[in-house]
Amino acid sequence: MMTIDFKAEVEKRRQDMLADLFSLLEINSERDDSKADKDHPFGPGPVKALEKFLEIAERDGYPTTNVDNYAGHFTFGQGEEELGIFAHMDVVPAGSGWDTDPYSPVIKDGKLYARGSSDDKGPTMACYYGLKIIKELGLPVSKRVRFVVGTDEESGWGDMDYYFEHVGLKKPDFGFSPDAEFPIINGEKGNVTEYLHFAGENKGAVRLHRFSGGLRENMVPESATALISGQLPADLIDQLASFAEAHQVKFTYAEQADGQVEITVVGKSAHGASPQAGVNGATYLARFLKDLDFAGPAKDYLQIAGDVLFQDHEGQTLGVAHEDEKMGALSMNAGVFRFDQAAEDNTIALNFRYPKGTNPEQIKAVLETLPVLKVSLSQHAQEPHYVPLEDPLVATLLEVYERQTGLEGHEQVIGGGTFGRLLKRGVAYGAMFPGWTDTMHQANEFADLEDLFRAAAIYAEAIYELIK
């Protein structure tokens, strides 16, 4: 039996892999609905990145398919069974606070800085090169591989809904997504966003004209801004300064010509699946404002944001907390805040990652007891997903990981949602290693270069073990 040194094979391809990765990272593939049209379902950026990826695959001799710029794939090998690999080319908005240009990749101290370096262009390229090694060495395989890349993983998965509806192929039999961490993610919590709706009226001596914070439901809002007026305390700025100092947040304060005051509080962004890793600028701002003399819906809005949602990462205060022995605890991210006194419908978007044993309707029933107009659910909810340890897919992937790293493999359940859950027998696998610094969805996102090369070798052996 021949043994292949996959690490040595990756070594030979380091420069090529980096060049291909850079060509993807240089594309700003944020979703942009303002530029969306028939040919660019999520805006031009994601399409450009998809086309670039398929161009790389074509160059390497794979047959490719682009499904109306929603998603695309290439295939390799022959056989009855098919392994699906699911990655994505879209990225969350770069946001502020970067030390370098997020779309001009830079290597510093062995780290590759760029939006998408760790989520998910870096891991995608590592996995792509894993398969490329198998192809270039001409290793014998008995199954097919379909490598799929999407363009809307970070928003609503509209890419995959469309892809499976229009591609004209049955789903792969089993597979993985290189979009999380090693040793494996074989369980994912359910994921739903629930919206609290409020009227825009003010009734107190202080008025809330506007309150806004948050870019995406799956990101902790880094900052939030409010515009207020009315009978404000004379020492408002001093109160704000001591609040900011006590809570270790930054702020700006600006008096407008018309007697209105604009206040911004700046915290720290993080992935919505780990809200405790961020500092939610919007709930901190609401906490500061809530005791001023507001009344009516404006007061309800600030009270809920600043009292109930403040640091309530597991929904304890809210009354929706739930824990499952295998899947862990529910988590909640208050992700997007929009209030305008002129609007009839103002919202707070709450993103829940929930384990088995609770569901969106149960959560909604509790939310409806709050002083809100109504509660609505996102159309795209995902149920909890789990592939058991004894499944050959999970067992094989863990064996390869253990063999290559010398570390012990174990199962993991996360709150994040990956394309692994698209298949009944689907998991997430890499590319981050234990002890990694998680910078996904944050400013100065980076991937450790050596880790990406290590991951490529693991992917090469893992794919080969699954299809040989």
Side-chain angles (χ1 to χ4, degrees), residues 287-303:
R287 191 162 188 87
F288 172 71
L289 294 173
K290 72 183 175 63
D291 295 329
L292 298 177
D293 199 357
F294 295 100
K299 184 176 181 66
D300 294 337
Y301 193 94
L302 293 171
Q303 205 87 49

Side-chain angles (χ1 to χ4, degrees), residues 25 29 87-92 114-124 153-154 177-180 218 271 417-418 431-432 436 438-442 445-447 452:
L25 292 172
S29 53
H88 67 93
M89 286 294 111
D90 57 309
V91 294
V92 295
R115 177 54 95 219
S117 55
S118 71
D119 183 15
D120 180 41
K121 293 172 181 174
T124 302
E153 195 272 349
E154 296 292 4
S177 173
D179 188 21
N218 64 350
H271 196 300
T418 75
M432 301 301 161
W436 58 294
D438 180 0
T439 53
M440 290 187 186
H441 297 207
Q442 297 176 37
E445 174 184 346
F446 71 82
L452 282 181

